[in-house]
Amino acid sequence: MYLTKEEERALNGEYGFAVQNSMEILVALGKIFGADRLIDVKSVQVAGVSYDNLGDAGLEYLSELAKDGRVKVLTTLNPAGMDMENWRGLGIDPAFAEKQIAVIEAFKRMGIIPSCTCTPYLVGNLPRFGEHIAWSESSAVAFANSVLGARTNREGGPSALAAALTGKTPNYGMHLDENRIPEVHVKVKVKLSSVHEFGTLGYIIGNQIKNKIPYITGIKSANIEHLKSFSASIATYGGTTLFHIKGITPERHKKPKESIEVGPEELRSALAALNDPEEDVDFVALGCPHLSIDELKKLANLLNGKKVKIETWIATSRQTKGLADLAGYSKIIEASGAKFACDTCMVVAPLKGRFKVIATDSAKSCFYSRGKNNFKVRLGTMEDCVNAAITGKWKVSK
Ligand code: F3S
């Protein structure tokens, strides 16, 4: 892989430990994936923030980098393992909190904005069409590549951090035109109207085509919340980092020859597979990916004057919660007894053993609630989830 004189100096340690370590990671990755050179990135999003995943070894590594490492480009963080302000209210162990705070402090010393959200594009880390970036949260990667038309591979925590500390990434994979061409035509023959149905479509397509790039037709309209949910579930169930939806996503491509169809029957059976039969629910969690301000408005309307009966978490970014505070939505939501879980989510927080059955509107959250936390799951609309929060029972509204 070609390196400029400056990059060689960085690799030889002339700019300190953090830059040298980062260059070693980037060069090793570039060699593995056959990159011709390094390219500049406009922004970075770093995952691997929860102490639950990092452990002491991860914290030690970050503290070492933070001694002389400073980011070169706009860099934001994925959710942490707890709400950084209200962790006590969410039942987080103080010993865990102490370690999580140390993790965030190390990131801050490097100049990283502790946004702690998986929706960086909603809070100011918003790349333009065609821009090269290095992001690591899978749902945000799929959203950035597909909905925004930016270009990023799905980085691991260390490689994203290396990109932040150097402003560079190896030129391979999704950065190249030839790797962004769709491979399977997905004909959608069913009308989708809610966030959980778009998430379920991601489950169906992801399971069928794995990490191939789909070219999807038959979707007449989709809002940001639909696309955020779809990005999260197609990346979770299939591993793809890019999708194209005719008339909705910005890249123009020809239809691939290979095709599959998704109709009402596929949607019904996927919804059945994503739901366990449990009727009693003891935990409601909304916000996977983090809720937008429009979703918080809808939630405030649904919860207005009501009281929740079971633990209810509203995961969103602290920045979006700030808007909800200004608009008066937070007051209504909190008056119901629902709790904001800013900076974190129901998947990265250490919740194993605390609950048995979760209700959610996120197909991605179903996967991790089952796999990571051993919960049974109920998937439905935001209305269904609010009803479960108020009654402790699962009842589908439509
Ligand atoms: Fe975000 Fe947590 Fe879901 S990081 S996409 S809310 S698993």
Side-chain angles (χ1 to χ4, degrees):
M1 186 171 71
Y2 168 78
L3 293 182
T4 63
K5 290 274 171 291
E6 182 77 359
E7 288 163 354
E8 267 171 16
R9 280 198 285 277
L11 186 60
N12 292 333
E14 282 190 34
Y15 304 115
F17 166 75
V19 169
Q20 182 179 29
N21 184 265
S22 300
M23 282 298 288
E24 285 168 357
I25 292 172
L26 298 177
V27 168
L29 269 178
K31 283 187 180 157
I32 291 168
F33 291 104
D36 59 343
R37 64 197 163 100
L38 295 175
I39 50 173
D40 291 343
V41 290
K42 278 284 184 190
S43 84
V44 173
Q45 192 251 359
V46 176
V49 181
S50 173
Y51 176 70
D52 205 26
N53 303 328
L54 282 168
D56 283 329
L59 173 55
E60 212 174 291
Y61 176 64
L62 292 174
S63 306
E64 211 43 51
L65 286 179
K67 283 182 183 160
D68 69 351
R70 297 295 174 267
V71 298
K72 302 277 191 303
V73 292
L74 173 69
T75 304
T76 54
L77 280 187
N78 216 33
M82 63 183 200
D83 185 301
M84 297 305 295
E85 288 178 10
N86 185 32
W87 53 269
R88 283 185 190 82
L90 297 174
I92 299 294
D93 181 350
F96 178 90
E98 191 187 322
K99 298 285 192 178
Q100 185 63 76
I101 291 166
V103 167
I104 297 295
E105 287 305 316
F107 281 126
K108 278 164 70 177
R109 285 200 294 283
M110 289 184 248
I112 297 177
I113 300 167
S115 53
C116 298
T117 181
C118 49
T119 55
Y121 46 89
L122 295 181
V123 300
N125 190 352
L126 181 64
R128 276 195 307 115
F129 183 87
E131 258 173 16
H132 296 282
I133 57 175
W135 286 17
S136 43
E137 155 58 32
S138 65
S139 66
V141 164
F143 189 96
N145 270 324
S146 316
V147 180
L148 304 176
R151 296 183 169 217
T152 178
N153 290 312
R154 182 183 173 186
E155 302 293 345
S159 67
L161 202 47
L165 294 169
T166 58
K168 291 174 187 297
T169 197
N171 189 33
Y172 73 96
M174 288 299 122
H175 295 286
L176 304 172
D177 288 344
E178 62 265 33
N179 296 325
R180 300 178 66 88
I181 297 168
E183 296 161 283
V184 184
H185 179 193
V186 180
K187 301 174 189 171
V188 176
K189 304 258 164 118
V190 56
K191 192 172 179 304
L192 306 168
S193 50
S194 70
V195 158
H196 86 292
E197 287 178 350
F198 272 86
T200 304
L201 179 69
Y203 164 90
I204 298 168
I205 299 176
N207 270 320
Q208 285 203 41
I209 72 168
K210 299 299 171 197
N211 61 359
K212 287 186 179 170
I213 302 171
Y215 176 89
I216 303 164
T217 57
I219 296 180
K220 300 261 176 312
S221 68
N223 61 30
I224 289 294
E225 290 75 17
H226 296 150
L227 294 167
K228 157 166 91 70
S229 178
F230 180 73
S231 298
S233 64
I234 194 167
T236 297
Y237 292 101
T240 190
T241 51
L242 172 64
F243 57 85
H244 304 290
I245 305 180
K246 189 175 179 214
I248 290 176
T249 56
E251 284 188 23
R252 296 288 162 255
H253 293 278
K254 287 195 196 118
K255 262 184 229 162
K257 285 206 177 69
E258 184 186 341
S259 71
I260 60 168
E261 262 187 39
V262 180
E265 191 39 49
E266 282 77 17
L267 189 69
R268 255 194 306 278
S269 61
L271 278 167
L274 283 167
N275 268 280
D276 291 309
E278 270 68 13
E279 284 175 6
D280 293 328
V281 173
D282 60 353
F283 183 41
V284 172
L286 294 165
C288 174
H290 277 172
L291 293 187
S292 68
I293 189 63
D294 221 27
E295 289 176 305
L296 288 175
K297 179 183 179 184
K298 180 176 172 186
L299 185 62
N301 282 333
L302 291 169
L303 284 171
N304 199 359
K306 311 264 174 42
K307 287 279 176 219
V308 303
K309 194 174 172 183
I310 55 177
E311 185 84 358
T312 301
W313 281 24
I314 311 306
T316 190
S317 66
R318 187 161 299 286
Q319 301 81 355
T320 305
K321 158 87 167 32
L323 285 179
D325 292 349
L326 289 173
Y329 308 149
S330 307
K331 223 173 164 181
I332 298 170
I333 292 168
E334 285 175 328
S336 75
K339 297 171 184 171
F340 276 99
C342 294
D343 316 312
T344 188
C345 77
M346 64 300 267
V347 170
V348 293
L351 290 180
K352 199 165 185 175
R354 273 183 67 185
F355 306 104
K356 289 193 176 68
V357 184
I358 181 177
T360 177
D361 64 351
S362 160
K364 171 173 179 174
S365 168
C366 292
F367 179 86
Y368 287 102
S369 295
R370 281 172 170 166
K372 182 178 177 226
N373 287 330
N374 248 340
F375 298 159
K376 300 287 183 200
V377 298
R378 299 290 343 208
L379 172 71
T381 61
M382 185 184 279
E383 288 82 350
D384 296 333
C385 293
V386 167
N387 184 57
I390 293 165
T391 63
K393 297 276 176 203
W394 185 255
K395 193 167 149 277
V396 181
S397 57
K398 64 165 198 169

